[in-house]
Amino acid sequence: TTDRTMNIFNLIIRKHQNDLGTSRPYAFTNSAGRKIIYIIMVPIIHPFSFLDVFGAVKTWVGLTSAGSWSVGSNWSDRTIPVFSDDVLFNTGTSMVITGITGYEVNKLTVAKNGSVNTSINLQASVIAGRYININSGVGGDDLIIEQGCTLSTGVQGGGYPVKIFMAENSSGVIAGTYTINANSYSNSLNVYGYFTVSGTVNIGANTTNCIMNIQNAGSLTVTSTRVINNSGTFKNQHGTPVIIKGNFV
């Protein structure tokens, strides 16, 4: 057994680098004088990161006033967030984030920097695409706006729209302010999961194109006396539950 093991190790060590990804027979004689033929198969090993599967926290590290989502150097590991990543904005400033052309992320959080609030406005660069899918739905909250912080989509009165979709079984917690700006296109928040508001949601003044949708298995709960300002359109699709303990104006 020892001879056979050592011989195999020797063969692997001697195998030339250019033979990677191929298989070829090797013949040698063990200590008992028996000729043995082995076929050694060495697969090509591709670069792999567990972060591709399990995701990472991608924190905004670009300019604290404005920047493009689609530029890798604006993020903590210098790559654009992908479907398995948790996105974090915690600059403690008011920022305009452009370049929204259609992205999927695991979670999205707008958080304070210490005690200083963060305000994020998401804007699209083109009319097509322009969405963010939040697709986790596995443990914890998936869209978080901390108290005092703000997330808004689109530009009031102009620009291209941004739609946010929350996947089935995902959850959103709005302790701060979420604003769906009104313009000539369709800015919207589409909730297929669970959405809890202890802060404020502003639906802009455009009854056709500014929409908050509670869809399929989704639900909305307003847990405080703060308000949902509904100048646009609120849709409760498929009879899903909406619990209002605060004000709906």
Side-chain angles (χ1 to χ4, degrees):
T1 302
T2 302
D3 289 336
R4 293 166 62 185
T5 303
M6 292 302 297
N7 281 325
I8 291 174
F9 284 148
N10 288 335
L11 288 172
I12 293 174
I13 291 171
R14 292 199 308 266
K15 186 161 177 57
H16 193 273
Q17 182 179 1
N18 291 337
D19 289 335
L20 286 175
T22 66
S23 63
R24 54 183 292 187
Y26 290 86
F28 59 89
T29 302
N30 66 6
S31 58
R34 295 178 180 174
K35 190 172 184 179
I36 300 173
I37 296 177
Y38 284 93
I39 296 178
I40 306 297
M41 301 186 69
V42 181
I44 296 175
I45 300 175
H46 293 281
F48 173 81
S49 171
F50 284 103
L51 295 180
D52 294 336
V53 177
F54 298 106
V57 177
K58 300 286 182 74
T59 303
W60 181 269
V61 295
L63 295 176
T64 57
S65 57
S68 175
W69 182 296
S70 60
V71 175
S73 60
N74 285 330
W75 300 98
S76 52
D77 71 346
R78 306 190 68 80
T79 59
I80 300 170
V82 296
F83 72 95
S84 57
D85 291 333
D86 297 350
V87 170
L88 173 61
F89 294 102
N90 63 349
T91 58
T93 61
S94 294
M95 286 203 307
V96 174
I97 305 298
T98 58
I100 307 297
T101 57
Y103 294 101
E104 292 193 24
V105 299
N106 191 55
K107 297 183 179 184
L108 193 156
T109 300
V110 181
K112 296 175 181 288
N113 187 330
S115 60
V116 183
N117 296 328
T118 299
S119 178
I120 301 298
N121 174 233
L122 301 176
Q123 297 183 16
S125 300
V126 295
I127 190 171
R130 73 233 194 270
Y131 65 83
I132 295 176
N133 287 342
I134 300 173
N135 58 28
S136 174
V138 181
D141 298 314
D142 307 304
L143 173 61
I144 301 170
I145 304 175
E146 290 187 355
Q147 185 175 1
C149 296
T150 300
L151 176 66
S152 61
T153 56
V155 180
Q156 185 69 27
Y160 296 126
V162 174
K163 298 181 180 181
I164 292 184
F165 294 88
M166 294 184 60
E168 187 173 348
N169 296 320
S170 65
S171 63
V173 176
I174 309 305
T177 301
Y178 187 108
T179 298
I180 306 170
N181 283 314
N183 58 32
S184 57
Y185 297 103
S186 180
N187 284 302
S188 62
L189 170 65
N190 302 276
V191 180
Y192 292 81
Y194 308 93
F195 201 71
T196 301
V197 179
S198 60
T200 301
V201 174
N202 298 308
I203 306 175
N206 188 317
T207 57
T208 302
N209 296 318
C210 197
I211 300 171
M212 180 177 181
N213 263 335
I214 309 297
Q215 303 194 44
N216 296 343
S219 68
L220 168 67
T221 302
V222 179
T223 62
S224 76
T225 57
R226 293 176 184 262
V227 297
I228 291 184
N229 300 302
N230 183 30
S231 300
T233 300
F234 174 81
K235 292 184 178 180
N236 181 25
Q237 308 279 10
H238 306 294
T240 53
V242 176
I243 302 171
I244 305 294
K245 297 179 180 178
N247 299 317
F248 198 112
V249 180

